[in-house]
Amino acid sequence: MTYGYPPSGGQVTGEAVELELRPARLASRTLAFLLDLLVQLGLLFGLSVAYGAIGIHLDSDLAATFGLLLLLTCFLGYPIALETLWRGRTLGKAALGLRVVRDDGGPAPFTSIVIREVEGLVVDKFLFLGLIGILTMLSSERAKRLGDMLAGTVVISERIPGQEALAVVMPAPLAGWAQTLDLSRVPDSLGLAIRQFLGRAGQLDPAARDRVGNQLLMQVAALTSPPPPPGTPGWAFLTAVIAERRRRDELSGRVASAAPVWTPAATATAPPISYGNQPAYSPPAAAPPPPPPAPGPGGFAAPV
């Protein structure tokens, strides 16, 4: 099985596949933290006033326990609840256009959010006045603090002009097979590499595109089972793997269902791409799109 792009002309940009995710840096993350801190202090003050207004009289031990619960609710429950329910955002992060995601760009699961926030509360944000968190972010290529390293997460900036994320759409002939896939051995780093490659494949030099695509195919094929149906093009295999990972995230509740964003508007300027024996396919520039091309060998057509 090969990637499936025949030699053709295209824009030569070299072999590198650029990272679509833009890690948030120290300045924006610090400002988001300060905004969240103001919200948390306001929440703590409001709960304390409400507690005082109720006039419940507790002995010293119970009062200390209740005070600890208030602190944990404000400084731990607040970020965990919001990042879980709001797909990686708190009020401060939303104001700065930041989001917590998995290393491969997928939604951060609840366990990862708990790990990064508990570690952050104990070490990164307050120990030595946040010096540990600052040093780890400055020394990390993706501006990760220690909690992100332990949790396998990264904070990204979503306000990058001109950046349109390309989502992958499950090839119809592979939908049933993909549901039987064992993806447990596919690391997040490989998933990210595939997503990057699929987003840039149309801009790569044909020889480099096929070389990188075939390298990814060999890695994924060695880590997944069962093998795809005979005659499956390589592009369809990689697309199905990433689309199935997304589907399982949606089913698990870690991310809300979303319509595909690989739209004609997002790819109108992409050069024509051909798949196997299919004719060159270039996404239309305006809606409504034309009918999809007729399926070729194996029932595959270019994704639309």
Side-chain angles (χ1 to χ4, degrees):
M1 179 174 59
T2 58
Y3 184 65
Y5 279 80
S8 61
Q11 181 179 355
V12 178
T13 61
E15 201 167 325
V17 181
E18 291 185 10
L19 182 65
E20 292 291 343
L21 307 177
R22 295 297 189 268
R25 298 301 172 181
L26 178 61
S28 59
R29 290 186 63 175
T30 300
L31 184 54
F33 164 72
L34 292 176
L35 291 175
D36 280 327
L37 183 60
L38 288 176
V39 173
Q40 290 167 309
L41 291 175
L43 180 61
L44 179 62
F45 176 77
L47 291 176
S48 299
V49 170
Y51 165 69
I54 294 175
I56 299 177
H57 297 287
L58 302 175
D59 61 42
S60 58
D61 291 339
L62 286 177
T65 301
F66 190 76
L68 179 60
L69 288 176
L70 283 181
L71 290 173
L72 291 177
T73 298
C74 297
F75 293 101
L76 198 57
Y78 162 85
I80 290 176
L82 281 185
E83 288 177 6
T84 300
L85 299 175
W86 204 6
R87 300 178 59 191
R89 289 177 292 184
T90 59
L91 294 176
K93 288 183 177 67
L96 274 294
L98 310 183
R99 184 191 298 273
V100 179
V101 297
R102 264 189 339 231
D103 279 338
D104 70 340
F110 175 74
T111 52
S112 295
I113 291 175
V114 171
I115 290 172
R116 75 181 302 275
E117 293 302 336
V118 170
E119 191 282 335
L121 180 64
V122 176
V123 179
D124 284 342
K125 297 179 180 179
F126 297 106
L127 191 63
F128 301 116
L129 299 178
L131 182 61
I132 293 179
I134 292 174
L135 291 177
T136 53
M137 278 193 283
L138 290 176
S139 61
S140 170
E141 185 176 331
R142 302 179 74 185
K144 287 188 169 197
R145 58 177 177 81
L146 185 58
D148 290 311
M149 297 176 186
L150 294 175
T153 57
V154 61
V155 179
I156 63 170
S157 176
E158 299 181 304
R159 294 178 181 173
I160 304 297
Q163 292 294 320
E164 294 290 342
L166 295 182
V168 288
V169 180
M170 175 67 70
L174 295 182
W177 163 80
Q179 294 182 25
T180 69
L181 267 176
D182 178 8
L183 300 175
S184 60
R185 298 171 58 203
V186 178
D188 288 348
S189 58
L190 181 56
L192 177 58
I194 297 171
R195 290 180 58 185
Q196 294 169 359
F197 175 69
L198 292 175
R200 294 284 190 235
Q203 301 174 353
L204 296 177
D205 171 73
R209 179 181 59 201
D210 289 341
R211 182 164 56 252
V212 176
N214 289 331
Q215 289 173 354
L216 291 173
L217 277 174
M218 288 188 292
Q219 294 180 58
V220 177
L223 297 173
T224 58
S225 62
T232 299
W235 66 264
F237 176 57
L238 293 180
T239 300
V241 168
I242 298 303
E244 180 62 16
R245 283 167 63 96
R246 169 75 185 196
R247 187 188 73 86
R248 294 181 187 182
D249 281 338
E250 293 176 358
L251 289 178
S252 66
R254 292 186 295 184
V255 59
S257 298
V261 294
W262 193 343
T263 61
T267 55
T269 59
I273 301 172
S274 47
Y275 297 85
N277 296 324
Q278 299 296 315
Y281 172 80
S282 181
F300 291 96
V304 293

